Amino acid sequence: MLEFSIRLRTMKIHSIQGMHDILPGSVELWQKIEVATRSLFRLYGYAEVRTPILEEQELFSRSIGQETDIVQKEMYTLAGHRGKTITLRPEGTASVVRAYIEHRLDREQLLSKLYYIGPMFRRERPQKGRYRQFHQLGAEVLGSDNPAIEAEVIEMLTRLLEELGVEDVRLLLNSVGCPECRPGYVQKLREALEDNASSLCSECLRRMETNTLRVLDCKVPACQPIIDPLPSIQDHLCQTCTEHFAHFIEYLDLAGITYEVAPRLVRGLDYYIRTTFEIISDRLGPTQNALLGGGRYDGLSELLNGPPTQGFGFALGIERLVLLLSRQEDLEGTYAPPEPELFLAYPDKATLGEALLLARRLRQDGIFVYVDFGERSLKAQMRLANRLRALFVCVVGEEEVDSGQFSLKRMSDGVQQKLPRDAIAEHVRQAV
Ligand code: HAM
């Protein structure tokens, strides 16, 4: 028993499978992505929204769809208060629409343009590009059924990817119809599938019964000869959906955006109506190749007991974007800690307090000051300053403190200069 408890105590604790730390060296790229997103989205009129990570489970089962993979098997759900079941959000759209309804944002503006950046959770089998905690940046436009807004969102996205230097991506578009035309198409699809049911994989067989459209998404090679010749949804859209899609494409053409129509693109969430899209990259591998996805979801607000509201949006997987960018720039392993502008060295414990006071003053003046806490000798502090590639070193000894005159050594050439306390910040600033 004792041995067991000792063994337990010496066992290392790791992060949970499929959930990762983002360390210095990687986090800078994340910050770059976030800064670029915020400044670009502002130009298009988007405001940030931050919703809780936990929501009532029903929000997701109603929005995403009871029969989807996410709701059936991927949600982290736990017991909440007063018999409620709560879930770690697997995506952002349902939460944004819930917040839109709850805070009556429809009253404030005709059109709400909202964006979010944050962690999402899905209990999927982890592999490269697929995690259990991952991060999305997404945007939602509520209150317009104009296909021009769809093209505007896509233009914003392509600009973001361009600004970040993402190469070799493809934009895939489709329409999944509406309650008018989709049921007829699904019926045709089911009939065609039933003729070949015995050759389909078990997942397709299940989907055929519960969520027929999703059969089109199957990647199992043996199913492809059956799926390829299936009727195309593009040939079964009603007049309104056909016109909507045609206008959407006209606006994309106007913006000079290239795309491919992909009639098999159906997406894994049930709230979509009419336009759906994905931006994919072959560099992400054959299965997790979607960098981002989105579409129109008119009716989702009503499904959540809100006012009739049209919606359109997308979400991008930040880990996948980081994978693409770090592969392109070969950034991995190139991290160097930031270089101090001024390294304050002190001879002994007695002067540490003075060094800290001076550091506090200089930081107020915007200088990046490094003070070592390793109780090293002055010589060892000098070596450390060198290793950290500090721009200047200044010794804070008793004599310097008493005289109020400090000697600054420029590390690049060893040139020293004596300065009063008040002149240090300006001197460093001029050299930066
Ligand atoms: P989604 O296609 O489920 O759509 O996810 C969007 C993106 O999130 C994916 O293209 C992928 O980059 C990333 N992603 C999804 N699951 C994982 C995972 N397990 N690991 C890593 N990355 C992942 C949505 O979530 C919709 N809410 C998009 C939307 C917004 N539609 C309308 N508005």
Side-chain angles (χ1 to χ4, degrees):
M1 190 65 195
L2 179 68
E3 199 184 306
F4 178 67
S5 82
I6 291 174
R7 215 175 53 227
L8 266 187
R9 258 185 279 146
T10 52
M11 247 162 56
K12 273 199 198 133
I13 299 175
H14 294 278
S15 67
I16 291 166
Q17 200 195 9
M19 304 195 180
H20 298 286
D21 303 307
I22 305 159
L23 299 176
S26 308
V27 85
E28 291 74 14
L29 185 50
W30 285 70
Q31 289 166 346
K32 180 176 156 185
I33 292 167
E34 287 165 17
V35 167
T37 300
R38 290 180 200 285
S39 72
L40 181 70
F41 285 15
R42 192 185 69 80
L43 300 183
Y44 285 81
Y46 286 80
E48 186 179 1
V49 57
R50 299 186 189 194
T51 60
I53 281 168
L54 280 168
E55 297 269 8
E56 280 189 36
Q57 192 259 346
E58 203 189 330
L59 172 66
F60 302 115
S61 51
R62 256 206 259 171
S63 309
I64 300 170
Q66 193 58 48
E67 297 301 337
T68 56
D69 287 353
I70 298 179
V71 171
Q72 283 285 310
K73 47 188 187 192
E74 295 171 2
M75 297 205 302
Y76 286 95
T77 291
L78 46 140
H81 220 53
R82 297 203 197 104
K84 288 217 163 115
T85 314
I86 52 179
T87 295
L88 282 170
R89 63 181 186 193
E91 60 109 47
T93 312
S95 304
V96 170
V97 175
R98 197 255 320 125
Y100 175 86
I101 298 167
E102 190 169 330
H103 303 287
R104 295 302 319 257
L105 297 185
D106 59 312
R107 281 196 191 149
E108 289 178 16
Q109 275 177 324
L110 286 177
L111 195 66
S112 287
K113 286 177 152 183
L114 301 164
Y115 79 92
Y116 49 91
I117 303 178
M120 309 291 161
F121 304 84
R122 296 183 193 175
R123 192 185 273 123
E124 295 192 78
R125 200 165 44 79
Q127 61 182 75
K128 198 152 189 106
R130 188 166 72 190
Y131 311 102
R132 291 182 166 174
Q133 175 177 320
F134 60 99
H135 297 75
Q136 285 187 340
L137 69 83
E140 314 290 350
V141 189
L142 293 148
S144 170
D145 64 357
N146 194 334
I149 197 86
E150 303 172 0
E152 190 192 75
V153 167
I154 289 178
E155 181 205 287
M156 179 172 83
L157 269 171
T158 48
R159 243 186 98 177
L160 178 68
L161 298 184
E162 249 170 55
E163 273 182 24
L164 289 168
V166 176
E167 294 159 5
D168 297 335
V169 286
R170 286 153 60 205
L171 167 64
L172 307 183
L173 312 175
N174 195 18
S175 171
V176 291
C178 67
E180 188 102 330
C181 52
R182 191 168 23 195
Y185 172 69
V186 169
Q187 181 58 28
K188 279 217 168 102
L189 206 57
R190 193 171 287 147
E191 283 163 16
L193 285 166
E194 269 160 8
D195 296 341
N196 293 290
S198 56
S199 317
L200 287 169
C201 72
S202 57
E203 189 61 24
C204 279
L205 277 177
R206 188 178 68 82
R207 286 176 171 172
M208 195 174 95
E209 296 305 328
T210 57
N211 200 348
T212 316
L213 266 191
R214 290 282 288 159
V215 171
L216 297 175
D217 216 22
C218 175
K219 306 249 166 34
V220 174
C223 294
Q224 303 314 305
I226 302 164
I227 297 171
D228 282 340
L230 287 172
S232 161
I233 193 158
Q234 287 284 333
D235 301 329
H236 292 81
L237 298 175
C238 61
Q239 178 85 8
T240 320
C241 288
T242 306
E243 281 172 11
H244 187 96
F245 195 67
H247 288 315
F248 168 51
I249 277 178
E250 270 169 32
Y251 290 117
L252 286 180
D253 287 337
L254 196 68
I257 292 168
T258 46
Y259 52 83
E260 296 163 39
V261 177
R264 278 180 61 175
L265 179 71
V266 287
R267 316 253 316 117
L269 306 99
D270 280 357
Y271 48 58
Y272 291 116
I273 171 172
R274 301 205 174 101
T275 314
T276 53
F277 71 99
E278 279 186 0
I279 291 186
I280 62 165
S281 165
D282 294 336
R283 295 190 199 192
L284 287 169
T287 49
Q288 312 305 319
N289 64 355
L291 174 60
L292 61 91
R296 174 162 289 285
Y297 49 86
D298 305 350
L300 177 55
S301 172
E302 290 96 307
L303 203 63
L304 300 173
N305 300 337
T309 309
Q310 301 99 346
F312 183 82
F314 77 91
L316 171 151
I318 305 185
E319 279 81 358
R320 294 189 189 177
L321 181 56
V322 165
L323 265 176
L324 281 182
L325 290 176
S326 47
R327 218 168 269 169
Q328 270 172 217
E329 294 177 25
D330 206 11
L331 285 173
E332 274 171 58
T334 58
Y335 174 70
E339 294 163 7
E341 289 159 2
L342 178 62
F343 187 106
L344 288 187
Y346 54 96
D348 49 43
K349 260 191 193 159
T351 42
L352 171 59
E354 288 294 343
L356 289 176
L357 271 182
L358 183 58
R360 179 186 140 109
R361 234 170 107 167
L362 291 167
R363 286 173 183 144
Q364 274 167 353
D365 286 334
I367 306 294
F368 169 16
V369 184
Y370 192 102
V371 181
D372 172 51
F373 295 95
E375 300 190 7
R376 279 171 243 255
S377 67
L378 255 188
K379 224 172 166 181
Q381 289 182 63
M382 288 301 187
R383 278 200 300 272
L384 180 62
N386 240 326
R387 219 171 64 217
L388 294 172
R389 303 163 60 91
L391 206 56
F392 289 96
V393 173
C394 169
V395 176
V396 187
E398 249 171 59
E399 198 188 308
E400 284 82 2
V401 173
D402 289 345
S403 67
Q405 291 288 318
F406 294 83
S407 169
L408 255 68
K409 180 173 171 187
R410 195 164 59 204
M411 297 301 273
S412 57
D413 53 13
V415 170
Q416 304 224 21
Q417 190 161 352
K418 262 211 154 73
L419 294 164
R421 211 181 250 112
D422 288 343
I424 300 176
E426 191 48 40
H427 185 76
V428 173
R429 223 184 338 258
Q430 272 176 11
V432 174

